Amino acid sequence: MTIDDIKNLVSADESRTLELKKTTGELKDGMHSACAFLNTEGGWLIFGVAPKSLKIIGQEVTQQEIAQALAGIEPAVDVRVAYVDVPERPGYQVIAMHFDGWVWGERPHTFHGCPYYKVESTTKVMPQDMYDERI
């Protein structure tokens, strides 16, 4: 993945399949969205992009923090995390993760015991009846 790939992804703003976070200071909210992607049609979670302006700012990255957050998703997922250098800001990277969508017959995913799903560009706690229907 390149910085041009990131620019193309974020050009259309947030949607049902794209969530932008300015920094990993929003990591918990980002993991709610990751869980929601896994329980709906999939999507991209990108850290290092200002959601309102769509400006690519990047951040200094701690990979261990990302790994610990991903460990809170159950059942566990194997996610390839891309760390993309921001040319205008040496030492700063954008963090991009793609999550595949949910498939009938699979148990819904949870983050720290709570299931989430996407409604348009919004992440919501999954209602109990929806969760039960998918078990």
Side-chain angles (χ1 to χ4, degrees):
M1 175 159 282
T2 67
I3 196 68
D4 288 333
D5 294 330
I6 298 292
K7 288 176 182 176
N8 288 335
L9 278 172
V10 305
S11 65
D13 202 0
E14 290 185 311
S15 67
R16 184 177 170 96
T17 59
L18 176 65
E19 184 78 21
L20 305 174
K21 298 294 182 192
K22 189 172 181 179
T23 70
T24 53
E26 301 174 275
L27 191 54
K28 184 177 178 183
D29 286 341
M31 291 298 106
H32 294 167
S33 296
C35 181
F37 288 142
L38 290 163
N39 288 329
T40 50
E41 60 196 61
W44 286 93
L45 172 60
I46 301 177
F47 291 94
V49 178
K52 292 189 188 318
S53 68
L54 303 182
K55 181 175 180 174
I56 297 172
I57 53 178
Q59 70 169 69
E60 293 177 328
V61 174
T62 56
Q63 294 181 7
Q64 184 177 9
E65 185 180 18
I66 300 294
Q68 287 175 341
L70 288 169
I73 296 175
E74 291 187 11
V77 292
D78 182 17
V79 177
R80 181 166 293 150
V81 181
Y83 299 92
V84 181
D85 293 327
V86 179
E88 301 82 25
R89 300 190 76 195
Y92 283 68
Q93 295 178 312
V94 171
I95 305 161
M97 296 174 257
H98 184 266
F99 297 88
D100 293 330
W102 185 73
V103 177
W104 278 101
E106 290 183 0
R107 182 175 129 209
H109 290 272
T110 62
F111 179 68
H112 292 296
C114 187
Y116 296 87
Y117 75 118
K118 293 296 267 187
V119 178
E120 296 304 323
S121 63
T122 305
T123 300
K124 301 279 188 187
V125 173
M126 183 181 285
Q128 188 65 47
D129 60 336
M130 181 186 285
Y131 182 83
D132 291 345
E133 177 183 281
R134 294 179 178 208
I135 289 185

